[in-house]
Amino acid sequence: MSDAEYKNRAPDPDALVVNGVSHSFGEKLVLDNVSVAVPRGTFAVLLGPNGAGKSTLFSLITRLYDNVSGEIRILGHDVRRRPGAALQRLGVVFQSKTLDGDLTLQQNLLYHAALHGIGSREARRRAADALATVGLADRAHEKVRNLSGGQARRVEIARALLHHPGCLLLDEATVGLDIASRESVIGIVRELVQRQGLGVLWATHLIDEISETDLIVVLHKGKVLFSGRLSGFLAETGASTARDAFRTLTGIGSIEEEAA
């Protein structure tokens, strides 16, 4: 596709498209012809145990690694050909904690806003709005080290929203959280999908985080074994529950034990 054709193409209906992507570390193939599409306004669950390739896929989408095969587009922008435009439309919450505990919630967000070139006055407005969205507006001037794990995750979600992305990636965002905190975090993200029309790719090894309306993508040993809704997942495997369907498809007795 020429540059002129690229600029004049029709708007992409999907928030995220991964098409035919493979990736190796030396001779070890960790992703094998992976294709995933997340439409706008969709909560997609990327389900797989540790070692499935979830984090590698996220690293390719976010350009921590370079995809040398296939294509990755964010809101229609190819991450190799238009990395700036693509990543400007992407919000990310990684599994590892990345907030500065000695700064306040607001200071953490303002620092991130500055990295995106957002002016001071606008950054303060966006930070306040983002903290309100995750239910932490009244904690803006407290230091992050005083927060619970679930509250810190909510701040990371707020930070990921500052530049108004259309696509949001979350990598094992509820790991280490208690049940109430997990429900709070996932509830906030689902509401963002409904209210703002974000496309979300939620990587997890926890089957109970799946909802009936989600798009489910099963990644196992670097390959996509299934992509579709829960009803199709159950029908394809002849199972009565998502847990049994995953077991049938992958041969893994328990995804949680496999991920431990």
Side-chain angles (χ1 to χ4, degrees), residues 216-254:
I216 300 170
V217 180
V218 178
L219 186 66
H220 183 52
K221 295 182 178 179
K223 294 184 178 182
V224 173
L225 301 186
F226 175 82
S227 181
R229 303 293 173 175
L230 179 59
S231 58
F233 192 31
L234 300 180
E236 181 171 314
T237 57
S240 58
T241 67
R243 190 175 302 277
D244 287 342
F246 184 87
R247 183 182 299 117
T248 298
L249 199 61
T250 65
I252 294 176
S254 169

Side-chain angles (χ1 to χ4, degrees), residues 35-228:
S35 294
V36 175
V38 181
R40 302 183 194 200
T42 298
F43 189 99
V45 178
L46 182 64
L47 184 65
N50 285 349
K54 302 190 301 296
S55 293
T56 299
L57 179 59
F58 272 36
S59 293
L60 291 167
I61 295 170
T62 57
R63 295 290 294 164
L64 292 177
Y65 302 152
D66 182 30
N67 65 299
V68 295
S69 71
E71 180 184 35
I72 300 173
R73 300 195 309 273
I74 300 167
L75 276 299
H77 297 275
D78 189 293
V79 300
R80 295 196 79 195
R81 298 185 60 178
R82 301 289 190 276
L87 297 180
Q88 182 62 29
R89 291 159 175 80
L90 181 68
V92 185
V93 177
F94 286 110
Q95 181 177 348
S96 58
K97 296 177 176 62
T98 55
L99 298 172
D100 188 327
D102 290 324
L103 298 180
T104 66
L105 279 63
Q106 183 192 64
Q107 287 170 335
N108 270 276
L109 268 58
L110 293 181
Y111 176 75
H112 187 74
L115 295 179
H116 279 276
I118 302 170
S120 176
R121 180 178 297 180
E122 178 65 11
R124 289 178 180 278
R125 186 188 68 78
R126 292 193 188 191
D129 288 346
L131 288 174
T133 295
V134 301
L136 290 171
D138 60 335
R139 309 284 297 271
H141 301 291
E142 290 188 38
K143 291 189 175 181
V144 165
R145 66 175 178 228
N146 296 328
L147 301 180
S148 68
Q151 290 167 338
R153 272 297 185 219
R154 284 152 58 188
V155 176
E156 289 176 327
I157 293 171
R159 183 180 60 183
L161 298 173
L162 283 177
H163 58 290
H164 297 164
C167 181
L168 195 61
L169 304 184
L170 300 101
D171 187 11
E172 299 281 4
T174 60
V175 165
L177 302 185
D178 59 40
I179 292 176
S181 296
R182 282 176 52 203
E183 291 178 349
S184 173
V185 168
I186 199 169
I188 287 169
V189 178
R190 289 190 186 282
E191 189 172 348
L192 288 168
V193 172
Q194 294 177 353
R195 284 183 21 227
Q196 299 185 18
L198 295 181
V200 167
L201 187 60
W202 175 280
T204 186
H205 66 273
L206 300 172
I207 289 180
D208 61 1
E209 292 184 348
I210 295 173
S211 171
E212 193 171 317
T213 58
D214 294 341
L215 173 65
I216 300 170
V217 180
V218 178
L219 186 66
H220 183 52
K221 295 182 178 179
K223 294 184 178 182
V224 173
L225 301 186
F226 175 82
S227 181

